[in-house]
Amino acid sequence: VVVSTSSVALQNPVIGEYIPFLSRIFLENRIIQKPIRAIVRKGKERFVCDVRLKFRLETIEGKRKNEEQRKALVSLRNYYDLDDVPDLSQVCVPKACRNDCPIRTACRYHQYLRAARQTGIFVQICNHNCLLADASHRLQELRPLLNDYQALVIDEAHKLPEAARQMYEKSLSAEDLKELCNLLTGENYRLPAQQLREKFQILMGAMCRGELLEEAQRTPFILTPDREAAIRDCL
């Protein structure tokens, strides 16, 4: 079973209250023979990298540092979940771990991954972003982030579309387009930059149609023929 929540805060009562309660009831009524095992699944950015933590602690050793931040860093020797000690993202697990990491076998994050993949785990708890990322991995035939499951419970499902928009949408502003042209000019691609600048102006005109920019930003996007032509020209 996978239980997906809209926030990390909602995961605590699920694993701390609801699942232990259900497990006790099922055991007392002999529906199951062993307690239900559950684990919270999170992205690697929510866990401490022991190598980064060691380096960070060595860096601040003997220096005048914010005492609260220093204590928070020291506490991470006992906690590897950054949700327990927020605002310390500089010591999180990197996107790609080094293959020659000196403490890979003893790394607390990799120990957590090995525990999460055990066959005895019956309930996996994650947020909507993790659920969607797992679905994306499966669609691309990459290694799934979650163990295979047969049932899915989506808590606060009305927030799932917003999570999908945050994960999958791409945004491009007039400032982004201007910066791109400036970068091309700086690399001596002056003619392509000028051509692209002209195409972008046509595109922005097709988007706004003379409206105030603030009003255009609040208008639902409709792909009209002239807008599609302007986008194709830019591409």
Side-chain angles (χ1 to χ4, degrees):
V1 178
V2 165
V3 178
S4 178
T5 70
S6 65
S7 70
V8 172
L10 292 170
Q11 296 171 358
N12 294 329
V14 174
I15 196 164
E17 300 175 27
Y18 307 151
I19 290 178
F21 169 76
L22 289 172
S23 182
R24 178 169 55 82
I25 295 298
F26 289 160
L27 283 168
E28 289 175 357
N29 289 274
R30 299 181 181 179
I31 296 173
I32 57 177
Q33 285 71 48
K34 297 179 180 179
I36 297 173
R37 293 182 61 192
I39 194 167
V40 177
R41 303 300 306 269
K42 302 178 184 180
K44 57 170 58 178
E45 72 279 357
R46 301 309 313 150
F47 293 97
V48 174
C49 169
D50 288 324
V51 172
R52 284 184 169 184
L53 176 61
K54 181 175 181 293
F55 176 77
R56 184 68 178 158
L57 288 171
E58 289 174 350
T59 301
I60 66 171
E61 185 69 30
K63 294 183 179 180
R64 296 182 64 181
K65 191 74 179 172
N66 181 293
E67 186 61 20
E68 288 189 7
Q69 189 176 47
R70 191 189 68 80
K71 288 182 179 179
L73 280 168
V74 171
S75 72
L76 291 177
R77 290 171 173 167
N78 300 317
Y79 302 99
Y80 67 94
D81 188 337
L82 285 175
D83 287 323
D84 295 329
V85 187
D87 302 325
L88 288 173
S89 58
Q90 68 268 30
V91 294
C92 71
V93 175
K95 288 186 177 180
C97 295
R98 291 166 40 194
N99 291 328
D100 60 344
C101 177
I103 62 167
R104 191 178 184 90
T105 55
C107 170
R108 289 179 290 173
Y109 170 67
H110 281 92
Q111 289 176 352
Y112 155 81
L113 284 182
R114 287 192 288 271
R117 291 171 183 147
Q118 291 178 3
T119 55
I121 301 293
F122 186 73
V123 179
Q124 300 172 92
I125 305 162
C126 66
N127 62 19
H128 293 345
N129 285 36
C130 182
L131 178 69
L132 292 167
D134 175 74
S136 180
H137 273 232
R138 293 173 187 270
L139 192 63
Q140 299 175 64
E141 297 185 354
L142 301 173
R143 182 173 182 172
L145 302 178
L146 301 171
N147 299 339
D148 290 342
Y149 55 93
Q150 287 75 45
L152 172 63
V153 179
I154 302 181
D155 187 26
E156 292 200 309
H158 64 283
K159 294 185 177 180
L160 188 62
E162 178 60 29
R165 279 193 290 270
Q166 290 175 358
M167 286 195 63
Y168 300 137
E169 75 178 3
K170 302 292 183 183
S171 63
L172 194 64
S173 69
E175 289 74 19
D176 295 327
L177 305 180
K178 182 179 179 181
E179 182 183 7
L180 176 57
C181 291
N182 290 339
L183 288 170
L184 285 169
T185 302
E187 294 291 333
N188 292 321
Y189 292 101
R190 290 183 176 84
L191 180 59
Q194 180 57 34
Q195 293 173 333
L196 197 55
R197 190 174 286 111
E198 293 171 359
K199 299 293 184 184
F200 283 155
Q201 288 176 349
I202 296 172
L203 174 61
M204 295 308 296
M207 294 298 178
C208 298
R209 293 185 175 280
E211 305 166 356
L212 291 174
L213 186 57
E214 291 79 7
E215 293 178 359
Q217 288 174 338
R218 292 195 296 267
T219 303
F221 176 75
I222 299 173
L223 187 62
T224 58
D226 58 334
R227 288 176 174 177
E228 182 174 0
I231 290 172
R232 290 188 183 280
D233 284 345
C234 287
L235 292 175

